Amino acid sequence: MNNTGSLRAGRKIEVSAASKARRRFMSGFAYFFTALSTVVSLGLLLYLLLFLLLKGVGAINWEFLTSDAPPVGNEGGGGIAAALTGTGLIISIASLIGIPLGLLIGIYLSEIASPTSRFANVARIAVNTFTGIPSIIVGIFVYVVVVRPMHSFSALAGGIALSIIMVPILARTAEDVMRLVPGSIREAGMALGIPTWRVILGVVVPAARAGIITGGVLAVARVAGETAPLILTALGNEFVNLNILKPTDELTLRILKYARGPFEVWHEQAYGAAFVLVAGVALAALLLRLTTRGRGIKIH
């Protein structure tokens, strides 16, 4: 009996040691694979930025950023001033519409809707479906319901199209990050007699601030690179336009036109405009994170 017990104890020790070694190996492999994926991703991003910069460095100057597009048939000169102002205008409209709607949907699904609510389940399915819908479908929809009744392409139509793309991205992100807020935070607010809506807006949302901001940045970055819906809504313009009811130029539309143009200088300007777009989105995201850093409720 003593020998049998000793053998069993020895086998348990061997199995335990083998299990620990296996776990250490898997943990090390996962760490290595994660680190390698991060390095590769950052390397590809850096390569993309350097590629665009080197290809378009000859076009990037003050005149390029502040001048109107060159006349049709002119192979030189001109810039992307109209595209820059149009991009800012269209994305501003999209953000004013899409960010509040996406955040409200996320709040409803996370904090208000019952776990057994059929409407909430249908809403989640709709959000997940619309996250992957082709942007050209959104462009066709806005063309039918906005552009045709208005009898004009416009920055407003372009902003509405981009906001439709933004809403499900932000709604999904907002719901997920607010579900990560501990229930004790909500219970503490309720125990003080604070109304539910005040707990949500004053406690839960600030606690999930970092994730919500990240979702907003991802949504803006996604729509900043869209071209297809803007062809059917904003159309484009050769001159600076600040009237939201008129056709408006945008960086991706300008890049498309220059890239398809017959002149080599246009191709260089397309690379320059692409670098300005990527660098602008990255800089805006960085500034947003820095200006909102350290605010709101911190969960320890």
Side-chain angles (χ1 to χ4, degrees), residues 56-91:
V57 66
I60 300 176
N61 51 54
W62 184 249
E63 181 184 0
F64 177 67
L65 298 175
T66 59
S67 301
D68 288 330
V72 177
N74 188 347
E75 63 174 290
I80 58 172
L84 286 175
T85 55
T87 299
L89 183 63
I90 293 174
I91 292 182

Short mmCIF file of all heavy atoms in Angstrom, two decimals, residues 56-91:
data_model
loop_
_atom_site.label_atom_id
_atom_site.label_comp_id
_atom_site.label_asym_id
_atom_site.label_seq_id
_atom_site.Cartn_x
_atom_site.Cartn_y
_atom_site.Cartn_z
N GLY A 56 5.14 61.48 -52.09
CA GLY A 56 4.45 62.76 -52.23
C GLY A 56 5.18 63.94 -51.66
O GLY A 56 4.63 65.05 -51.61
N VAL A 57 6.45 63.74 -51.21
CA VAL A 57 7.18 64.84 -50.57
C VAL A 57 7.39 66.02 -51.51
O VAL A 57 7.43 67.18 -51.08
CB VAL A 57 8.54 64.32 -50.03
CG1 VAL A 57 9.46 63.90 -51.17
CG2 VAL A 57 9.20 65.37 -49.15
N GLY A 58 7.50 65.73 -52.80
CA GLY A 58 7.70 66.82 -53.75
C GLY A 58 6.49 67.70 -53.90
O GLY A 58 6.61 68.86 -54.34
N ALA A 59 5.31 67.19 -53.56
CA ALA A 59 4.09 67.97 -53.73
C ALA A 59 3.71 68.75 -52.48
O ALA A 59 2.96 69.72 -52.54
CB ALA A 59 2.93 67.06 -54.13
N ILE A 60 4.21 68.30 -51.31
CA ILE A 60 3.79 68.91 -50.05
C ILE A 60 4.55 70.21 -49.80
O ILE A 60 5.76 70.21 -49.59
CB ILE A 60 4.01 67.94 -48.87
CG1 ILE A 60 3.20 66.66 -49.08
CG2 ILE A 60 3.64 68.59 -47.55
CD1 ILE A 60 3.43 65.60 -48.02
N ASN A 61 3.83 71.31 -49.87
CA ASN A 61 4.36 72.63 -49.55
C ASN A 61 3.19 73.54 -49.20
O ASN A 61 2.02 73.12 -49.21
CB ASN A 61 5.18 73.20 -50.73
CG ASN A 61 4.42 73.16 -52.04
OD1 ASN A 61 3.30 73.65 -52.14
ND2 ASN A 61 5.03 72.53 -53.05
N TRP A 62 3.49 74.76 -48.87
CA TRP A 62 2.44 75.68 -48.44
C TRP A 62 1.41 75.94 -49.54
O TRP A 62 0.21 76.00 -49.30
CB TRP A 62 3.04 76.99 -47.97
CG TRP A 62 2.04 77.96 -47.42
CD1 TRP A 62 1.65 79.14 -47.97
CD2 TRP A 62 1.29 77.81 -46.21
NE1 TRP A 62 0.70 79.75 -47.19
CE2 TRP A 62 0.46 78.95 -46.09
CE3 TRP A 62 1.22 76.83 -45.23
CZ2 TRP A 62 -0.43 79.12 -45.03
CZ3 TRP A 62 0.35 77.00 -44.17
CH2 TRP A 62 -0.46 78.13 -44.08
N GLU A 63 1.88 76.07 -50.78
CA GLU A 63 0.96 76.30 -51.90
C GLU A 63 0.04 75.10 -52.11
O GLU A 63 -1.15 75.26 -52.40
CB GLU A 63 1.76 76.57 -53.18
CG GLU A 63 0.88 76.84 -54.40
CD GLU A 63 1.68 77.00 -55.68
OE1 GLU A 63 2.92 76.89 -55.61
OE2 GLU A 63 1.06 77.21 -56.73
N PHE A 64 0.58 73.91 -51.95
CA PHE A 64 -0.21 72.70 -52.11
C PHE A 64 -1.34 72.65 -51.10
O PHE A 64 -2.45 72.18 -51.40
CB PHE A 64 0.70 71.48 -51.95
CG PHE A 64 -0.01 70.16 -52.03
CD1 PHE A 64 -0.58 69.73 -53.22
CD2 PHE A 64 -0.10 69.33 -50.91
CE1 PHE A 64 -1.22 68.50 -53.30
CE2 PHE A 64 -0.73 68.11 -50.98
CZ PHE A 64 -1.29 67.68 -52.18
N LEU A 65 -1.11 73.13 -49.88
CA LEU A 65 -2.11 73.07 -48.82
C LEU A 65 -3.10 74.23 -48.87
O LEU A 65 -4.18 74.14 -48.28
CB LEU A 65 -1.42 73.06 -47.45
CG LEU A 65 -0.50 71.86 -47.17
CD1 LEU A 65 0.19 72.04 -45.83
CD2 LEU A 65 -1.27 70.55 -47.20
N THR A 66 -2.77 75.30 -49.54
CA THR A 66 -3.61 76.51 -49.50
C THR A 66 -4.19 76.93 -50.85
O THR A 66 -4.96 77.89 -50.90
CB THR A 66 -2.81 77.69 -48.92
OG1 THR A 66 -1.64 77.93 -49.74
CG2 THR A 66 -2.37 77.39 -47.50
N SER A 67 -3.85 76.23 -51.92
CA SER A 67 -4.32 76.63 -53.26
C SER A 67 -5.50 75.76 -53.71
O SER A 67 -5.67 74.63 -53.24
CB SER A 67 -3.19 76.51 -54.28
OG SER A 67 -2.10 77.33 -53.91
N ASP A 68 -6.29 76.31 -54.63
CA ASP A 68 -7.37 75.55 -55.24
C ASP A 68 -6.80 74.55 -56.23
O ASP A 68 -5.64 74.60 -56.60
CB ASP A 68 -8.35 76.48 -55.95
CG ASP A 68 -9.18 77.29 -54.98
OD1 ASP A 68 -9.45 76.78 -53.87
OD2 ASP A 68 -9.56 78.43 -55.31
N ALA A 69 -7.66 73.63 -56.66
CA ALA A 69 -7.25 72.63 -57.64
C ALA A 69 -6.92 73.31 -58.96
O ALA A 69 -7.48 74.36 -59.30
CB ALA A 69 -8.36 71.61 -57.84
N PRO A 70 -6.00 72.74 -59.74
CA PRO A 70 -5.64 73.33 -61.03
C PRO A 70 -6.80 73.24 -62.03
O PRO A 70 -7.64 72.35 -61.92
CB PRO A 70 -4.45 72.50 -61.49
CG PRO A 70 -4.66 71.17 -60.82
CD PRO A 70 -5.27 71.48 -59.49
N PRO A 71 -6.86 74.13 -62.99
CA PRO A 71 -7.90 74.06 -64.01
C PRO A 71 -7.81 72.75 -64.80
O PRO A 71 -6.75 72.13 -64.87
CB PRO A 71 -7.60 75.26 -64.91
CG PRO A 71 -6.77 76.18 -64.07
CD PRO A 71 -5.98 75.30 -63.16
N VAL A 72 -8.93 72.34 -65.35
CA VAL A 72 -8.96 71.12 -66.14
C VAL A 72 -8.01 71.25 -67.33
O VAL A 72 -8.04 72.24 -68.06
CB VAL A 72 -10.39 70.83 -66.65
CG1 VAL A 72 -10.39 69.58 -67.53
CG2 VAL A 72 -11.34 70.66 -65.47
N GLY A 73 -7.14 70.25 -67.51
CA GLY A 73 -6.17 70.26 -68.58
C GLY A 73 -4.83 70.80 -68.18
O GLY A 73 -3.86 70.64 -68.91
N ASN A 74 -4.74 71.43 -67.01
CA ASN A 74 -3.47 71.97 -66.53
C ASN A 74 -2.76 70.89 -65.73
O ASN A 74 -3.29 70.39 -64.74
CB ASN A 74 -3.73 73.20 -65.66
CG ASN A 74 -2.43 73.92 -65.30
OD1 ASN A 74 -1.35 73.38 -65.49
ND2 ASN A 74 -2.56 75.14 -64.80
N GLU A 75 -1.56 70.53 -66.15
CA GLU A 75 -0.88 69.43 -65.49
C GLU A 75 -0.06 69.84 -64.29
O GLU A 75 0.49 68.99 -63.57
CB GLU A 75 0.06 68.73 -66.49
CG GLU A 75 1.18 69.63 -67.00
CD GLU A 75 2.16 68.86 -67.87
OE1 GLU A 75 2.90 68.03 -67.33
OE2 GLU A 75 2.16 69.07 -69.09
N GLY A 76 0.05 71.08 -63.97
CA GLY A 76 0.88 71.52 -62.85
C GLY A 76 0.16 72.53 -61.97
O GLY A 76 -0.88 73.08 -62.34
N GLY A 77 0.76 72.80 -60.82
CA GLY A 77 0.23 73.80 -59.92
C GLY A 77 -1.02 73.33 -59.20
O GLY A 77 -1.48 72.20 -59.34
N GLY A 78 -1.58 74.23 -58.43
CA GLY A 78 -2.79 73.90 -57.71
C GLY A 78 -2.52 73.14 -56.44
O GLY A 78 -1.39 72.73 -56.15
N GLY A 79 -3.59 72.96 -55.66
CA GLY A 79 -3.43 72.28 -54.39
C GLY A 79 -4.72 71.64 -53.92
O GLY A 79 -5.64 71.40 -54.71
N ILE A 80 -4.81 71.41 -52.62
CA ILE A 80 -5.93 70.66 -52.05
C ILE A 80 -6.68 71.47 -50.99
O ILE A 80 -7.29 70.89 -50.09
CB ILE A 80 -5.42 69.34 -51.43
CG1 ILE A 80 -4.36 69.62 -50.35
CG2 ILE A 80 -4.87 68.42 -52.51
CD1 ILE A 80 -3.95 68.39 -49.57
N ALA A 81 -6.65 72.79 -51.11
CA ALA A 81 -7.35 73.61 -50.12
C ALA A 81 -8.84 73.28 -50.08
O ALA A 81 -9.44 73.17 -49.00
CB ALA A 81 -7.15 75.09 -50.44
N ALA A 82 -9.45 73.12 -51.25
CA ALA A 82 -10.88 72.80 -51.29
C ALA A 82 -11.15 71.44 -50.68
O ALA A 82 -12.15 71.26 -49.96
CB ALA A 82 -11.37 72.84 -52.74
N ALA A 83 -10.25 70.49 -50.90
CA ALA A 83 -10.44 69.16 -50.34
C ALA A 83 -10.27 69.16 -48.82
O ALA A 83 -10.99 68.48 -48.10
CB ALA A 83 -9.44 68.19 -50.98
N LEU A 84 -9.32 69.95 -48.32
CA LEU A 84 -9.10 70.02 -46.88
C LEU A 84 -10.29 70.63 -46.16
O LEU A 84 -10.78 70.09 -45.16
CB LEU A 84 -7.84 70.83 -46.58
CG LEU A 84 -6.49 70.15 -46.86
CD1 LEU A 84 -5.35 71.12 -46.63
CD2 LEU A 84 -6.32 68.92 -45.98
N THR A 85 -10.79 71.75 -46.67
CA THR A 85 -11.94 72.39 -46.03
C THR A 85 -13.18 71.52 -46.16
O THR A 85 -13.99 71.42 -45.23
CB THR A 85 -12.20 73.77 -46.65
OG1 THR A 85 -12.36 73.65 -48.08
CG2 THR A 85 -11.05 74.73 -46.37
N GLY A 86 -13.34 70.87 -47.31
CA GLY A 86 -14.50 69.99 -47.51
C GLY A 86 -14.44 68.78 -46.59
O GLY A 86 -15.47 68.36 -46.04
N THR A 87 -13.25 68.22 -46.40
CA THR A 87 -13.10 67.08 -45.50
C THR A 87 -13.47 67.46 -44.08
O THR A 87 -14.20 66.74 -43.38
CB THR A 87 -11.65 66.55 -45.53
OG1 THR A 87 -11.35 66.12 -46.86
CG2 THR A 87 -11.48 65.39 -44.57
N GLY A 88 -12.96 68.62 -43.62
CA GLY A 88 -13.31 69.08 -42.29
C GLY A 88 -14.79 69.32 -42.12
O GLY A 88 -15.39 68.96 -41.09
N LEU A 89 -15.42 69.89 -43.15
CA LEU A 89 -16.85 70.18 -43.09
C LEU A 89 -17.68 68.91 -43.06
O LEU A 89 -18.59 68.75 -42.22
CB LEU A 89 -17.25 71.04 -44.30
CG LEU A 89 -18.70 71.50 -44.38
CD1 LEU A 89 -19.05 72.40 -43.20
CD2 LEU A 89 -18.95 72.25 -45.70
N ILE A 90 -17.39 67.97 -43.94
CA ILE A 90 -18.17 66.73 -44.03
C ILE A 90 -17.99 65.87 -42.79
O ILE A 90 -18.97 65.34 -42.25
CB ILE A 90 -17.79 65.96 -45.31
CG1 ILE A 90 -18.23 66.73 -46.55
CG2 ILE A 90 -18.41 64.56 -45.31
CD1 ILE A 90 -17.77 66.13 -47.86
N ILE A 91 -16.75 65.73 -42.32
CA ILE A 91 -16.52 64.91 -41.12
C ILE A 91 -17.13 65.56 -39.89
O ILE A 91 -17.62 64.86 -38.98
CB ILE A 91 -15.02 64.65 -40.93
CG1 ILE A 91 -14.52 63.73 -42.05
CG2 ILE A 91 -14.73 64.02 -39.57
CD1 ILE A 91 -13.07 63.36 -41.95
#
